Amino acid sequence: MAFDQRHRFIISKMAEAFGIEESVVEKKLIVEKQHINAFFEGSAPGALRWSYQVPEEKNKDGAWVQKGTKPVLALSHQQGEHVSGKCLFFVRVNPKGVNEKTLETDLAVGEIQGSALETIKALVADLYLPILQEQSSWGKMPVDHAKEFLAGAGKMANILAEAASCLQGGVGLKKPDERHVSQYDLRPGAFTQAANEPEVAHHMEECLTDWCSKVEQLIQANAIPPGEEPGPDTEIEYWRGHMARFNSLSEQLKSRECRLVLGVTGMMHSPASKRWKGLELKLSDAANEAKDNVRYLGTLDKSFEVLREGGPQQILDSLHSLMQAVMTLYKIARYYGTPQRMTTLFCKITNQMIRSCKKAILEPGKIWDQQKGKLIANMQVCVKLCEAYKQQYIFMRDTMKAETPEKPFEMDERAVFLKFELFAKRLNKLIEMFTTIHQFSSLEQHTHIAGLEGVLKSFHGIVDDVKRKPYDLLDYTRNQFDRDYLEFNVNVHDLEISLQAFINNSFENITSTDHALSLLAQFHAILQRGALKQELDSKYQVIFQHYAHDLEAVQAQYEAYKHKPPVPRNAPPIAGNIMWSRQLLRRIEEPMQRFAQNKMLMNMKESKKVIKMYNRVAKALVEFETLWHQAWLKGIEQQRAGLQAPLLVRHPDTGQLLVNLDKEIMQLIREAKYLQLIGIHVPEAARTLLLQEEKFKYYFAQLSFAVREYKEVMAHVQPIFKPLLKPHLEDMETKVAPGMFILTWTSMNIDGYLHRFKQGLARLKELVRKLVDIVDNRVVANLDAVQKTLLVELPGDRSFSYEEFITAQAKFQKRQADQLTIRNEEVARAIEDVIMLVQTAPRENPDVAVEEKEVDLFRSYYSSLMYRSILTATQRSFAAMKRRLGSKTATGIFYMERPFFDVDVELKLPSIALNPTLDGIQEAVNSTAKAILQASHKLRCWGMINGPPCYYDLIARDKEVVKSVLLLTGSVEGIKHQVAEYLSNFDKYSFLWTQNLQATYEAFMKTNPSLEAFEGELKKYMAIETEIAAIPSVYNIGSLSLTTLPLKTSLKSEAASWKAQFAQNLHSQSAEDLKAFDAYIRDTTLKLNRKVEDLEDVRYLVTVLNEVREREADIDALIAPIEDMYSLLLRYEVRVPKEETGMVSDLRYGWKKLRKLATDTSDNLARLQAGFKRELIKEVKAFVQDAQAFRHDWEVNGPMVPGLDPMEAVDRLKKFQQMFEVRKRKWENYSSGEELFGLPVTSYPELEQTEKEISMLDRLYTLYVTVISTIKGYGDYFWADVVEKVDEWGEQVLQYQAQCKKLPKASRDWPAYVKCRDIIDNFLEMLPLFQALAHKAMRERHWKAVMQTTGKELQLAEDVFKLQHLLDLNILQHKEEIEEITTAAVKEEQIETKLGG
């Protein structure tokens, strides 16, 4: 047999479930192939049940016993086959069969192990039911059907669970010993034989006694299961379980073991047997009772389902049928129809009703979160259910008493109805409480009523107090609610009193009757409580009294304004007056209509007077309206006469064209429209006008638009155009004339007139547009361009050399002259085009021609404009040259605009001169001015009557032009004196090239100069070099920019020659001393390296060592002058050979190396000569005294003397550091010697203390000197470089600040620490000021403000102005003023940016 996917699926599942080989399953499937294939095809039953167990059969006693020991795989073919092991079942879900492709959906598989009931219960309750309950979509199935199905499924799950529980928890009878059971058969002889065996008899007696005890307990079991407030379902469940236990007991008694026990004990006539016989009757009766009760209670299941699943209203609807069913049960039930059973059942029914009511109340959500109206309705249904429940019971009780007096319906009514009555009582209180809350909550919708917020706040406080109670409001067993409910009512009563006072206050000062009535209506709508309603009804009389005052006020207002009433905005007079009277009437009429509804108020004696006044005022207002209406009707014909006026008129004074529509016509139309809107009759004549309103408005709008367009066109016609356009203007006037003399507002051909008017206007407008376009874009634009043309190039940000100026101006002037020629010809052509356009434009009066004279005047006018534009361009060019070349431009290194000429200042022996000269510059200016005038030679003079051939003749005769030319010819003369004065500033350096260098040097050397004298000379020439370097590279005088770089280079060269001459001798002397000391170091090193062979060598080395020690004290006196001389040479930038520089830097290192060699030699001698020991002891004693003396000198003359200046303290510290180094070396040598010879090492407390103090002071003063030198070095930076360095400086100084804070506390009282800290803090405080001053917004005016604030002048040239200059101003004293200046600069820059944008 070939297996497909379906067979493989069954094989794998069976092998997995039973734990057997697939081959075993395959063999069995081959045997059952016919049945299995029929199952797959859908022709066999829809389930396969497989088992794998040892075969079983019934014995002669009816018990199942195993047949063999080997389990067998079997397929069940019949219902009811016995299975004791695991059972695997396959169910065909698809009735059409099982398809291989849809195998998983067509076939379901499961297993049963142990109790079949337990397995089915697990499948239904734990698997299928949760899945069904989670399903949200049921397809086309109605929702109520789905709910009913889920309820049935839940019920089935409960029944299965109950049945399984009963089987597990039933009475289990004690079984006799198996050896006794297998020994005796079930026959009287065997029973007698067993009874004669004492052991067997005793064992059987014990079993039966145990049975009797268990059966008695089962019979006496309480019918009410444990649980709080059980429902009627528990009653049915209890009896079903009870019946199941009796059935289980009956099944057990039929077994062989039980029959054996009963047979043996019966044969013995034992006490247990007699006891059992008595229990058998009770057991039979109890079993019958359980069956009977289950049968009759099952008939109530449908009614109980309503109790479980339905709401209070559904229960109420089915209450009669429920009571009928219970009463029928009471009548016919043999065992259950007792008062005790009925009381129990009705108590459980009551419990279920209460549970269903609570569920219905809480189903929408928490009580306080629900909508109060729906909540109250739900509670009312529950109360109604309670009442109907009791009424139905009483009705049924009385009916049964009448029908069956022998068996009246009686039960404990208090036990049945007490809980429900208490629950209903609680609901009534909740209904009243939530009704009160709902009534007061309606006030929240009327918070616009002033003063109501306080009442609402108090009410919310009362409600919040109730909400905070921790108990369940529906728990009627909690009496605490009654106390809280009483407190709630007391608070609500107090709130009603305050609300009543609020109502009284609201109507004390009535400002408007309408408002008071509206307020009263609002209070009526929201206040449903009886006490408040009575108070509101009393307010009608108060408002009516105020209404009487309103009547008086209306009457007074009518009398005051009836001759000139106030009318609404935009309303016409007649309709406005009528609207005013109607408004007054409505003011008194509407309240009266509302008062009239209150019959009791109208029948009061005090109201009669008010009613009479109302009638009188209303009558007057109606008459007022009638009078105005009649007056308007009489004036209609008179107003209609305005339609006969002409359409257009001219203003008698201005001559402007106006639309002539009589205002009375539109007034009449507006009156008719308003009167119709307010419902007043309008006569036919007025309605006719009203129908023509749109026509009149249309004609008026069209005429107004045409007149306005005509005015706009005429406004664009310039006076110079009017003579030229005279024929066209006359043609337009011809078209306008009919509207002024012929046509009226009743004419029939107004549309034709408008068409002709607009057509002519459009033609004139187009002509004027073209004229204006040509003139604006081709004439005026070119004239403006000519007028703005500069004939000289004078950029403000550039300077010219002499040659560059001549070349650049020649090219620029040629290019500009060509542009002027092009624009001049373009204007001439444009004027001719205008004339041609006017002459050829279409019009309806061709017989009128343009006069030639007017054409010539038109040409001449625009030719004169061209002349004035050229003249303006020429004058502007001269003015620009005058401004740039004038001598009033700023002098110095600062300038508002860049000077025009670049001039070099050079050293031309024997004097200083300019290149180019001032005369050459003046000649260049003169040639440029002449070229400006020559530019108009090429410009043809067109259109002028009797004019010259070109515009040059006219330009050259202009007085202002001649004046400007004369002024430019002397433009350089004004600055000659200033130039000479500036060049005289360099006379102080004239000795550099006038005096003899060699003679001056020889005279200096004859004075036998000291090092200080040499330094003075070098310093002098170094200062000259620095001063020369500080000379501004550019100096501005008027239009000249004097460049001093050539001069500075020459002067620096001369000064360097003088400095080199004086430094030569100093260098020679220092080189000799350096070589001498270097030779001493080398010689002494050779001496100390001498090999010690005898005592003479020792004495020699001792002498050398003594020499070294003696020289050690004077070593600074030898090295320091050499170092100072070379330092002086390097400081003044004298060139020194590199090898000499290296030797100077190695001086102290060589000496230190020599001293180390001496120490080593001394140590060697100590090892070789015993005498060194005695000498060492002697020297140590001397050194102790020396240390004490050194300490005394340190305390008296050292850097720690109070009041010492920090820089002097630095010098002293250096001196004592050197002295201490000498003693330190001795200290170390002596200490090492003592250690070498095994002597106690001598301590030197003075030196130890001094060493600590030197270390502390060295940290302090090293930082002090570093800070001073660093910040002083910052001052040498040019101001232009400060911006890039500020952040770097800030980080560096912050590091110094951190080092300062890390110094020992003992050093913080020293002046050096205080001064160092102040310098650091001041510099950090100045950094933000540096950043602000370096901002790009700072202009010259701002720096002048800074100088004015500090009272000091600054040279702001980039190669002169340094940070030190700013530090010297002590800007921290003026910090606030400087911050204001920088802030103002930034704001000004922002304003300039916005204006420029």
Side-chain angles (χ1 to χ4, degrees):
M1 175 182 177
F3 296 122
D4 58 18
Q5 189 68 25
R6 300 171 296 178
H7 298 90
R8 289 296 174 191
F9 178 77
I10 291 179
I11 291 170
S12 63
K13 291 296 181 182
M14 291 174 63
E16 179 183 357
F18 296 128
I20 58 179
E21 297 293 333
E22 291 189 357
S23 59
V24 177
V25 182
E26 291 175 357
K27 292 178 181 178
K28 186 62 178 176
L29 257 63
I30 293 173
V31 174
E32 302 287 350
K33 61 179 180 178
Q34 183 177 358
H35 189 79
I36 292 174
N37 290 336
F39 170 76
F40 287 153
E41 294 170 1
S43 57
L48 297 176
R49 293 180 299 278
W50 295 88
S51 62
Y52 184 71
Q53 62 184 15
V54 178
E56 294 180 347
E57 62 179 359
K58 283 188 178 182
N59 59 13
K60 57 184 178 180
D61 297 325
W64 290 93
V65 295
Q66 291 183 350
K67 188 173 61 174
T69 59
K70 186 179 181 181
V72 177
L73 182 63
L75 175 63
S76 299
H77 295 283
Q78 299 177 358
Q79 295 291 338
E81 292 188 7
H82 184 263
V83 178
S84 60
K86 182 185 293 186
C87 175
L88 186 67
F89 62 87
F90 296 90
V91 178
R92 187 177 64 239
V93 179
N94 188 352
K96 296 181 180 180
V98 179
N99 192 311
E100 285 188 65
K101 296 182 179 179
T102 58
L103 176 63
E104 294 185 356
T105 57
D106 292 349
L107 193 62
V109 62
E111 65 178 41
I112 298 175
Q113 187 172 7
S115 172
L117 192 59
E118 278 288 341
T119 304
I120 295 174
K121 186 269 295 183
L123 285 173
V124 174
D126 301 335
L127 178 62
Y128 297 135
L129 184 60
I131 293 175
L132 292 172
Q133 289 174 341
E134 290 295 326
Q135 185 168 337
S136 58
S137 176
W138 291 88
K140 297 182 179 180
M141 180 185 291
V143 178
D144 54 345
H145 290 186
K147 289 183 177 179
E148 184 178 355
F149 168 72
L150 290 175
K155 184 177 180 181
M156 179 181 178
N158 293 335
I159 293 174
L160 289 173
E162 180 185 351
S165 177
C166 290
L167 289 179
Q168 292 178 355
V171 177
L173 297 179
K174 183 179 180 181
K175 301 293 184 181
D177 196 341
E178 182 64 29
R179 56 189 177 86
H180 299 316
V181 174
S182 60
Q183 185 179 356
Y184 300 102
D185 294 330
L186 297 178
R187 51 189 179 82
F191 294 158
T192 303
Q193 183 184 355
N196 293 328
E197 293 288 338
E199 181 184 355
V200 177
H202 179 69
H203 179 68
M204 299 298 177
E205 180 77 10
E206 285 182 351
C207 288
L208 188 58
T209 303
D210 182 70
W211 292 2
C212 292
S213 299
K214 290 183 177 179
V215 170
E216 286 174 350
Q217 291 177 3
L218 177 61
I219 293 173
Q220 296 173 2
N222 188 5
I224 301 177
E228 185 179 355
E229 297 184 351
D233 290 340
T234 61
E235 186 72 9
I236 301 176
E237 292 170 4
Y238 168 74
W239 287 110
R240 282 180 181 155
H242 216 45
M243 182 181 70
R245 284 189 287 273
F246 284 123
N247 292 338
S248 174
L249 186 60
S250 177
E251 290 295 325
Q252 293 180 61
L253 290 174
K254 294 177 183 179
S255 66
R256 185 175 186 281
E257 294 89 345
C258 293
R259 289 163 60 191
L260 179 62
V261 171
L262 292 175
V264 173
T265 53
M267 191 64 68
M268 292 168 54
H269 301 288
S270 63
S273 177
K274 296 178 182 179
R275 182 182 175 189
W276 176 258
K277 288 180 179 179
L279 287 175
E280 277 185 328
L281 295 175
K282 295 181 180 180
L283 182 61
S284 177
D285 191 54
N288 292 331
E289 181 185 9
K291 292 179 182 178
D292 189 71
N293 290 346
V294 169
R295 180 162 60 92
Y296 286 113
L297 287 174
T299 61
L300 301 177
D301 194 47
K302 282 290 183 181
S303 300
F304 291 163
E305 185 176 350
V306 177
L307 291 177
R308 286 193 309 271
E309 306 298 334
Q313 187 61 47
Q314 292 173 306
I315 297 173
L316 186 60
D317 295 338
S318 62
L319 188 58
H320 180 73
S321 60
L322 172 64
M323 297 299 289
Q324 282 287 107
V326 174
M327 293 304 174
T328 303
L329 171 67
Y330 179 74
K331 291 178 183 178
I332 64 176
R334 175 184 174 190
Y335 297 98
Y336 207 80
T338 64
Q340 182 182 1
R341 297 286 188 216
M342 286 293 106
T343 300
T344 301
L345 179 60
F346 271 98
C347 285
K348 293 184 177 183
I349 291 173
T350 301
N351 293 338
Q352 185 61 45
M353 286 185 178
I354 294 174
R355 191 178 297 113
S356 298
C357 289
K358 288 183 178 180
K359 179 183 177 182
I361 292 171
L362 297 176
E363 186 175 9
K366 295 181 180 180
I367 288 181
W368 291 106
D369 298 338
Q370 296 184 37
Q371 202 274 331
K372 298 302 182 289
K374 294 182 179 179
L375 175 64
I376 293 169
N378 290 338
M379 290 184 177
Q380 288 174 343
V381 173
C382 294
V383 173
K384 186 178 179 181
L385 175 61
C386 176
E387 295 172 354
Y389 178 40
K390 192 167 184 180
Q391 290 173 2
Q392 282 289 336
Y393 163 72
I394 294 172
F395 173 75
M396 290 297 177
R397 181 194 64 187
D398 296 341
T399 302
M400 265 194 84
K401 187 175 181 181
E403 292 178 354
T404 57
E406 68 281 358
K407 190 180 180 181
F409 184 68
E410 295 178 353
M411 65 178 183
D412 188 352
E413 296 181 4
R414 176 177 174 80
V416 173
F417 297 109
L418 179 61
K419 291 182 180 179
F420 213 166
E421 289 174 349
L422 291 175
F423 181 67
K425 185 178 179 181
R426 172 61 59 86
L427 290 182
N428 283 323
K429 291 181 179 179
L430 290 175
I431 289 170
E432 185 176 350
M433 182 179 74
F434 282 110
T435 301
T436 302
I437 293 173
H438 183 58
Q439 290 173 351
F440 277 95
S441 297
S442 62
L443 295 176
E444 294 180 348
Q445 303 174 3
H446 300 274
T447 52
H448 58 278
I449 300 177
L452 202 56
E453 294 83 357
V455 176
L456 287 173
K457 186 176 180 180
S458 301
F459 169 69
H460 288 312
I462 296 171
V463 174
D464 290 341
D465 288 342
V466 179
K467 284 183 179 180
R468 284 192 289 268
K469 302 303 178 183
Y471 51 80
D472 182 9
L473 294 179
L474 297 178
D475 186 1
Y476 54 87
T477 61
R478 298 287 296 271
N479 295 329
Q480 186 180 352
F481 172 77
D482 298 325
R483 297 192 297 273
D484 296 334
Y485 176 70
L486 180 60
E487 182 181 353
F488 173 79
N489 285 333
V490 172
N491 292 333
V492 169
H493 178 69
D494 295 339
L495 187 62
E496 286 180 344
I497 294 174
S498 63
L499 187 58
Q500 188 173 356
F502 169 73
I503 293 172
N504 293 332
N505 292 334
S506 299
F507 291 99
E508 280 184 359
N509 299 315
I510 300 175
T511 57
S512 169
T513 302
D514 285 338
H515 177 266
L517 287 171
S518 299
L519 183 61
L520 187 61
Q522 291 178 8
F523 280 133
H524 266 296
I526 63 177
L527 300 177
Q528 304 297 327
R529 304 179 71 80
L532 297 176
K533 281 190 174 182
Q534 295 177 3
E535 184 67 25
L536 291 175
D537 291 337
S538 65
K539 299 303 176 185
Y540 269 109
Q541 188 173 357
V542 177
I543 300 173
F544 193 68
Q545 293 174 359
H546 180 269
Y547 175 69
H549 297 298
D550 281 354
L551 284 174
E552 295 174 356
V554 169
Q555 184 177 9
Q557 187 176 3
Y558 170 74
E559 294 296 335
Y561 295 103
K562 64 182 179 181
H563 298 294
K564 190 178 181 181
V567 298
R569 182 181 299 175
N570 297 328
I574 305 297
N577 293 340
I578 294 175
M579 290 169 68
W580 172 73
S581 68
R582 287 197 172 187
Q583 183 270 337
L584 293 179
L585 181 62
R586 186 166 51 254
R587 179 176 169 185
I588 63 174
E589 187 177 28
E590 291 180 358
M592 179 56 75
Q593 292 174 354
R594 297 169 72 174
F595 285 130
Q597 297 175 3
N598 193 328
K599 301 300 181 182
M600 184 179 67
L601 179 65
M602 292 291 99
N603 293 330
M604 294 178 63
K605 183 178 179 181
E606 295 82 0
S607 303
K608 303 300 182 183
K609 182 179 179 181
V610 178
I611 295 172
K612 289 180 180 180
M613 184 187 299
Y614 165 76
N615 294 332
R616 184 172 61 252
V617 175
K619 180 181 178 183
L621 292 173
V622 171
E623 290 176 350
F624 178 86
E625 176 183 336
T626 304
L627 290 173
W628 276 104
H629 183 227
Q630 294 298 327
W632 176 71
L633 293 176
K634 294 178 181 178
I636 290 176
E637 291 301 327
Q638 182 180 355
Q639 294 173 344
R640 282 172 55 86
L643 295 175
Q644 302 303 319
L647 298 178
L648 301 175
V649 294
R650 286 197 180 274
H651 194 279
D653 298 328
T654 63
Q656 290 185 353
L657 200 62
L658 303 174
V659 180
N660 186 28
L661 178 61
D662 191 355
K663 293 182 179 180
E664 295 295 330
I665 301 297
M666 299 309 297
Q667 181 77 1
L668 178 60
I669 294 173
R670 289 178 66 232
E671 292 284 5
K673 183 186 296 185
Y674 269 80
L675 291 176
Q676 275 191 342
L677 289 175
I678 60 178
I680 295 178
H681 172 70
V682 176
E684 183 65 27
R687 286 201 300 273
T688 303
L689 281 179
L690 187 57
L691 293 174
Q692 295 178 335
E693 178 186 8
E694 294 301 324
K695 183 184 76 170
F696 293 143
K697 286 183 176 180
Y698 172 75
Y699 288 153
F700 179 78
Q702 292 295 318
L703 288 170
S704 299
F705 175 76
V707 169
R708 187 165 56 251
E709 286 286 310
Y710 183 65
K711 290 179 181 178
E712 290 179 2
V713 171
M714 294 305 296
H716 284 88
V717 178
Q718 301 177 13
I720 189 64
F721 291 164
K722 287 184 178 180
L724 202 64
L725 294 174
K726 183 177 179 182
H728 296 277
L729 297 179
E730 290 178 355
D731 182 39
M732 187 64 204
E733 285 293 330
T734 304
K735 293 179 174 61
V736 174
M740 299 173 61
F741 306 107
I742 301 173
L743 299 177
T744 67
W745 292 96
T746 57
S747 300
M748 301 299 292
N749 56 347
I750 297 178
D751 292 326
Y753 170 73
L754 283 171
H755 175 72
R756 194 161 178 269
F757 191 149
K758 291 179 181 179
Q759 189 179 41
L761 182 61
R763 198 159 46 227
L764 178 63
K765 183 178 181 180
E766 179 64 17
L767 175 61
V768 173
R769 185 192 66 77
K770 290 180 179 179
L771 291 178
V772 171
D773 181 66
I774 293 173
V775 172
D776 287 346
N777 295 295
R778 295 175 60 188
V779 177
V780 176
N782 281 303
L783 291 175
D784 290 341
V786 169
Q787 187 172 334
K788 294 176 182 178
T789 300
L790 281 178
L791 299 173
V792 62
E793 186 179 20
L794 304 170
D797 57 347
R798 180 185 173 188
S799 297
F800 291 92
S801 65
Y802 175 78
E803 295 79 6
E804 290 175 344
F805 178 74
I806 296 297
T807 304
Q809 297 308 319
K811 292 180 179 179
F812 183 77
Q813 288 170 346
K814 182 179 183 305
R815 185 168 63 252
Q816 295 297 87
D818 293 341
Q819 287 292 328
L820 289 178
T821 303
I822 292 171
R823 295 186 183 280
N824 180 47
E825 295 300 326
E826 174 63 22
V827 172
R829 287 194 299 272
I831 295 303
E832 295 301 323
D833 290 344
V834 168
I835 296 171
M836 180 61 65
L837 178 64
V838 172
Q839 290 176 344
T840 59
R843 50 192 172 91
E844 296 180 5
N845 56 346
D847 52 320
V848 181
V850 181
E851 297 182 7
E852 193 62 31
K853 178 182 177 183
E854 299 296 339
V855 174
D856 294 339
L857 290 175
F858 184 75
R859 289 195 188 96
S860 177
Y861 172 77
Y862 279 100
S863 179
S864 63
L865 289 182
M866 174 57 75
Y867 159 69
R868 284 196 289 272
S869 296
I870 297 171
L871 177 62
T872 301
T874 304
Q875 291 175 343
R876 289 181 69 250
S877 301
F878 284 134
M881 286 191 65
K882 180 181 177 182
R883 183 176 64 254
R884 291 286 274 125
L885 299 175
S887 59
K888 294 182 180 181
T889 308
T891 301
I893 63 173
F894 300 108
Y895 50 83
M896 299 304 294
E897 61 179 2
R898 195 175 183 87
F900 197 63
F901 289 102
D902 282 334
V903 181
D904 291 336
V905 182
E906 300 177 350
L907 177 61
K908 294 182 179 180
L909 296 178
S911 63
I912 297 173
L914 300 181
N915 184 23
T917 64
L918 295 178
D919 293 338
I921 294 172
Q922 183 63 60
E923 182 180 352
V925 172
N926 294 342
S927 63
T928 301
K930 182 177 179 182
I932 291 173
L933 278 176
Q934 293 296 328
S936 57
H937 259 300
K938 299 180 180 180
L939 302 180
R940 177 175 64 88
C941 183
W942 51 270
M944 281 193 180
I945 301 173
N946 301 323
C950 66
Y951 288 107
Y952 173 77
D953 298 334
L954 299 175
I955 300 296
R957 292 198 298 267
D958 187 79
K959 294 181 180 179
E960 292 296 327
V961 172
V962 174
K963 183 178 177 181
S964 297
V965 172
L966 292 176
L967 288 175
L968 286 174
T969 56
S971 59
V972 181
E973 284 295 327
I975 60 175
K976 283 186 177 181
H977 176 70
Q978 292 176 321
V979 172
E981 185 177 350
Y982 174 70
L983 294 180
S984 66
N985 293 330
F986 301 107
D987 292 344
K988 58 183 177 181
Y989 305 118
S990 60
F991 73 93
L992 293 176
W993 66 83
T994 57
Q995 294 183 10
N996 190 312
L997 171 61
Q998 192 61 35
T1000 305
Y1001 177 73
E1002 291 175 355
F1004 174 75
M1005 292 302 297
K1006 290 179 181 179
T1007 61
N1008 194 17
S1010 63
L1011 182 63
E1012 288 76 8
F1014 273 103
E1015 182 178 6
E1017 288 297 319
L1018 291 176
K1019 189 174 183 179
K1020 169 184 173 184
Y1021 292 110
M1022 189 68 184
I1024 291 175
E1025 285 185 343
T1026 303
E1027 187 176 347
I1028 292 171
I1031 295 174
S1033 300
V1034 176
Y1035 190 83
N1036 303 313
I1037 300 178
S1039 61
L1040 304 182
S1041 176
L1042 304 182
T1043 304
T1044 60
L1045 287 177
L1047 175 63
K1048 288 170 66 176
T1049 302
S1050 301
L1051 293 179
K1052 281 184 179 180
S1053 177
E1054 294 293 334
S1057 300
W1058 285 76
K1059 183 178 72 172
Q1061 182 65 43
F1062 281 90
Q1064 181 178 0
N1065 188 41
L1066 181 62
H1067 180 215
S1068 301
Q1069 180 181 347
S1070 58
E1072 291 177 2
D1073 294 343
L1074 174 64
K1075 292 176 180 177
F1077 187 79
D1078 183 66
Y1080 166 75
I1081 293 294
R1082 288 197 302 271
D1083 293 344
T1084 306
T1085 301
L1086 291 173
K1087 292 176 181 179
L1088 291 176
N1089 285 327
R1090 179 176 177 175
K1091 190 174 182 180
V1092 179
E1093 296 179 350
D1094 52 18
L1095 185 60
E1096 186 65 27
D1097 293 333
V1098 173
R1099 289 197 185 106
Y1100 178 78
L1101 289 174
V1102 169
T1103 303
V1104 175
L1105 290 172
N1106 290 334
E1107 180 183 351
V1108 171
R1109 291 192 188 98
E1110 291 174 358
R1111 193 138 191 168
E1112 184 175 9
D1114 301 328
I1115 197 66
D1116 281 339
L1118 294 173
I1119 296 177
I1122 298 173
E1123 292 179 337
D1124 290 344
M1125 283 189 288
Y1126 275 95
S1127 175
L1128 182 66
L1129 293 174
L1130 294 174
R1131 188 184 313 140
Y1132 293 105
E1133 301 178 359
V1134 178
R1135 298 183 63 183
V1136 177
K1138 185 180 293 185
E1139 60 273 11
E1140 292 182 13
T1141 305
M1143 290 172 64
V1144 171
S1145 61
D1146 291 340
L1147 284 177
R1148 293 190 181 276
Y1149 172 73
W1151 170 251
K1152 187 176 181 180
K1153 188 175 179 181
L1154 177 64
R1155 189 179 62 184
K1156 180 67 171 57
L1157 180 60
T1159 303
D1160 294 341
T1161 304
S1162 179
D1163 293 342
N1164 188 34
L1165 291 176
R1167 288 192 300 270
L1168 298 176
Q1169 189 175 5
F1172 283 164
K1173 182 177 181 179
R1174 293 189 296 274
E1175 185 67 23
L1176 176 64
I1177 295 173
K1178 181 179 178 181
E1179 289 182 0
V1180 166
K1181 291 181 180 179
F1183 186 69
V1184 169
Q1185 296 177 357
D1186 180 71
Q1188 294 174 352
F1190 177 75
R1191 177 64 186 177
H1192 179 266
D1193 188 23
W1194 167 266
E1195 293 175 350
V1196 175
N1197 300 316
M1200 296 183 66
V1201 176
L1204 204 62
D1205 181 76
M1207 292 308 297
E1208 184 178 355
V1210 170
D1211 295 334
R1212 290 191 181 187
L1213 177 62
K1214 290 181 179 178
K1215 173 184 174 184
F1216 276 91
Q1217 276 181 321
Q1218 296 172 358
M1219 296 168 65
F1220 179 78
E1221 286 295 322
V1222 174
R1223 286 161 178 78
K1224 179 69 174 177
R1225 289 192 295 271
K1226 289 182 178 181
W1227 180 8
E1228 294 173 352
N1229 292 336
Y1230 292 155
S1231 297
S1232 61
E1234 287 173 337
E1235 292 177 355
L1236 178 65
F1237 293 114
L1239 297 174
V1241 178
T1242 305
S1243 62
Y1244 306 95
E1246 296 86 0
L1247 293 182
E1248 292 174 355
Q1249 180 66 24
T1250 304
E1251 185 177 25
K1252 293 180 181 178
E1253 293 174 353
I1254 287 176
S1255 176
M1256 178 190 71
L1257 293 177
D1258 183 64
R1259 288 181 60 192
L1260 172 62
Y1261 287 112
T1262 298
L1263 178 61
Y1264 174 79
V1265 173
T1266 302
V1267 170
I1268 294 294
S1269 61
T1270 300
I1271 294 180
K1272 186 175 180 180
Y1274 292 163
D1276 294 332
Y1277 280 89
F1278 287 105
W1279 179 249
D1281 302 328
V1282 168
V1283 178
E1284 302 175 357
K1285 295 288 184 178
V1286 165
D1287 294 337
E1288 179 184 341
W1289 294 349
E1291 294 176 359
Q1292 183 66 45
V1293 176
L1294 285 174
Q1295 293 178 2
Y1296 292 154
Q1297 189 181 50
Q1299 295 177 17
C1300 184
K1301 292 180 179 178
K1302 292 179 181 179
L1303 290 174
K1305 293 184 179 180
S1307 63
R1308 298 187 180 183
D1309 296 328
W1310 291 88
Y1313 176 88
V1314 175
K1315 188 172 181 181
C1316 179
R1317 183 191 62 198
D1318 292 342
I1319 291 173
I1320 291 172
D1321 294 342
N1322 290 341
F1323 190 82
L1324 289 174
E1325 190 174 356
M1326 285 188 287
L1327 280 178
L1329 295 178
F1330 295 160
Q1331 292 175 329
L1333 290 170
H1335 195 277
K1336 63 179 182 179
M1338 291 292 291
R1339 303 287 190 271
E1340 182 179 358
R1341 62 180 181 274
H1342 302 125
W1343 281 106
K1344 288 183 178 179
V1346 172
M1347 290 186 277
Q1348 184 178 1
T1349 300
T1350 58
K1352 297 181 180 180
E1353 293 291 325
L1354 293 172
Q1355 297 295 327
L1356 299 180
E1358 291 184 357
D1359 56 350
V1360 176
F1361 185 30
K1362 295 183 177 181
L1363 178 63
Q1364 188 61 44
H1365 299 150
L1366 200 59
L1367 293 173
D1368 295 339
L1369 297 182
N1370 198 7
I1371 60 177
L1372 286 181
Q1373 293 183 358
H1374 311 283
K1375 179 180 178 181
E1376 296 182 357
E1377 292 86 348
I1378 293 176
E1379 287 178 345
E1380 292 178 358
I1381 293 171
T1382 57
T1383 303
V1386 173
K1387 292 181 178 179
E1388 290 172 5
E1389 185 194 32
Q1390 294 174 352
I1391 294 172
E1392 292 172 0
T1393 303
K1394 292 180 180 178
L1395 293 176

